[in-house]
Amino acid sequence: MSRWYQPHEEWPKHSKPWWRETLEHARLAGWHLKRLDGHSWGRIVCNPDLEKPCKILIFSTGANGESAARGARKTIARCDHHAEAAGEPNLLRAAALVEHAERLLDAVDRCLQAAGKSAEAEDLLNGAASAATEAEKLLERAMASEEDSQELLLEAFAVLPAGSQLGCPPTTQEVEVLIVQAEAHVDEAQELVDDLPTAFSDHSLRSRIQQVKSHVHDLLGRIGRG
């Protein structure tokens, strides 16, 4: 059954990159999505509670799809139904930035865990070579650690935001880049939230921002120690 997707939720992914870009643009602008079946992939609406909202039909396939997606972004930019809620776009953008930062740090966390498991596997393999009597047990533990490392890497790639780069296995420099990107996202989110009117104050979002900053500090420390 189709339903409305809210701006703060994760939306379904379109098969075409130009529509994916347009849908993300609409989500960050505070629009809503209704998923449809058939030739029409879905419909985005600036505010489904309005009597005459701005609305755009999204097609699954068809000619001139890229041009239609560009036109849709212009329609989104011209919509003035959110003008009365001046702080709402910034609030949504801040929330999106925090979510992006959280996903980046989540990926980094798994990468560091994977690196630790891989190092553990190497140490156990070295121990297995010098201790014949313990070789079978050490090899079993090493294989388990290596499997854990691979699973954590798969999880890291699964939560990695679209557009982020990460090698397999990831290098320390690549992991550090993700942390720096996450830090930049959360700093921008902090600035947006600080500029919000008092009426739009969101204590839970502020708390998430502080948690993400603390996570950044912790991961940088772990890299330094590593």
Side-chain angles (χ1 to χ4, degrees), residues 139-158:
L139 284 170
E140 288 177 355
R141 290 175 58 193
M143 291 176 65
S145 293
E146 189 62 33
E147 288 177 1
D148 289 345
S149 175
Q150 294 301 316
E151 289 180 4
L152 287 164
L153 281 176
L154 289 175
E155 292 177 6
F157 281 105

Side-chain angles (χ1 to χ4, degrees), residues 80-95:
D80 59 0
H81 290 118
H82 290 285
E84 295 181 359
E88 184 176 349
N90 279 352
L91 187 62
L92 290 171
R93 172 63 177 164

Side-chain angles (χ1 to χ4, degrees), residues 114-189:
K117 288 293 184 180
S118 183
E120 180 184 359
E122 186 175 356
D123 289 342
L124 291 169
L125 285 169
N126 290 335
S130 60
T133 56
E134 296 291 327
E136 186 173 352
K137 292 181 180 179
L138 289 172
L139 284 170
E140 288 177 355
R141 290 175 58 193
M143 291 176 65
S145 293
E146 189 62 33
E147 288 177 1
D148 289 345
S149 175
Q150 294 301 316
E151 289 180 4
L152 287 164
L153 281 176
L154 289 175
E155 292 177 6
F157 281 105
V159 301
L160 196 66
S164 300
Q165 299 296 320
L166 191 64
C168 187
T171 65
T172 301
Q173 290 75 17
E174 289 173 331
V175 169
E176 189 171 359
V177 167
L178 296 185
I179 299 176
V180 171
Q181 291 175 350
E183 186 174 27
H185 286 315
V186 79
D187 285 343
E188 185 180 350

Side-chain angles (χ1 to χ4, degrees), residues 41-135:
W41 185 89
R43 179 185 294 111
I44 53 175
V45 177
C46 66
N47 187 345
D49 295 328
L50 295 177
E51 183 177 352
K52 294 182 179 180
C54 297
K55 52 188 176 181
I56 301 169
L57 196 61
I58 309 296
F59 295 100
S60 300
T61 57
N64 300 321
E66 190 169 359
S67 177
R70 287 197 299 268
R73 291 195 289 275
K74 292 180 181 178
T75 300
I76 294 167
R78 288 195 299 266
C79 172
D80 59 0
H81 290 118
H82 290 285
E84 295 181 359
E88 184 176 349
N90 279 352
L91 187 62
L92 290 171
R93 172 63 177 164
L97 286 167
V98 172
E99 179 184 353
H100 200 81
E102 288 174 334
R103 291 170 68 84
L104 285 168
L105 295 179
D106 203 8
V108 169
D109 214 2
R110 284 167 169 76
C111 286
L112 293 178
Q113 291 182 53
K117 288 293 184 180
S118 183
E120 180 184 359
E122 186 175 356
D123 289 342
L124 291 169
L125 285 169
N126 290 335
S130 60
T133 56
E134 296 291 327

Side-chain angles (χ1 to χ4, degrees), residues 91 193 198 200-210:
L91 187 62
V193 170
T198 304
F200 289 96
S201 180
D202 189 324
H203 296 295
S204 62
L205 183 57
R206 290 180 183 275
S207 177
R208 285 175 64 192
I209 288 173
Q210 294 307 314

